[in-house]
Amino acid sequence: MSDINPLDYIDTNLTHAKAEQRTRIHYAVADADSLIGTTSDTTHVLLIEFAKLTKAIAAATTLDEVKSAAQQSATMFAPLLDKQATNQLTFPYQHKGVNNVLGEIEARAQGVADIIKA
């Protein structure tokens, strides 16, 4: 058995850069608990809006009913989308890159699932 230390493969420059960014976020934007709260709120809004949308689409029998079902969510999210489209608002994933974010989601989800399965 070899004595491989996973810490030998950590890019310390990247680790320090992330730590610095996290510190700046903590002091300039919000602490971790507040960020988790905002993430939770976001998830709940999306969950309920998605549930309402899918329920209304499932009940729709015409294209006009489908369009009507989407209108409430479209109206709710329009201000965010408009700001994003005009570069008044950007999201962290846009700067991190979608592929990087999806990779992080996969790795963390699988890591948690592996622990739960054990």
Side-chain angles (χ1 to χ4, degrees), residues 105-117:
I105 291 168
E106 289 175 16
R108 291 186 180 126
Q110 190 61 57
V112 171
D114 288 347
I115 291 170
I116 291 170
K117 288 188 295 190

Side-chain angles (χ1 to χ4, degrees), residues 1 27 53 57 63 68-69 74 88 92 98 117:
M1 185 161 166
Y27 288 106
L53 177 62
I57 288 173
L63 181 57
S68 178
Q88 295 174 329
V98 173
K117 288 188 295 190

Side-chain angles (χ1 to χ4, degrees), residues 70-86 88-89:
Q71 191 58 53
Q72 181 179 353
S73 292
T75 300
M76 176 187 285
F77 295 119
L80 284 175
L81 188 58
D82 291 345
K83 287 178 182 177
Q84 191 272 332
T86 59
Q88 295 174 329
L89 173 65

Side-chain angles (χ1 to χ4, degrees), residues 12-96:
T12 56
N13 289 332
L14 182 61
T15 303
H16 292 300
K18 280 188 175 185
E20 181 182 326
Q21 288 175 336
R22 288 176 179 159
T23 298
R24 289 176 52 214
I25 290 167
H26 176 84
Y27 288 106
V29 181
D31 59 88
D33 289 339
S34 295
L35 291 171
I36 290 169
T38 300
T39 301
S40 176
D41 292 343
T42 301
T43 302
H44 293 139
V45 167
L46 291 173
L47 174 65
I48 294 303
E49 289 305 309
F50 181 72
K52 290 191 302 189
L53 177 62
T54 56
K55 182 179 178 182
I57 288 173
T61 58
T62 67
L63 181 57
D64 284 339
E65 289 174 342
V66 172
K67 287 180 179 181
S68 178
Q71 191 58 53
Q72 181 179 353
S73 292
T75 300
M76 176 187 285
F77 295 119
L80 284 175
L81 188 58
D82 291 345
K83 287 178 182 177
Q84 191 272 332
T86 59
N87 294 317
Q88 295 174 329
L89 173 65
T90 58
F91 292 91
Y93 83 89
Q94 293 173 286
H95 299 284
K96 292 170 74 175

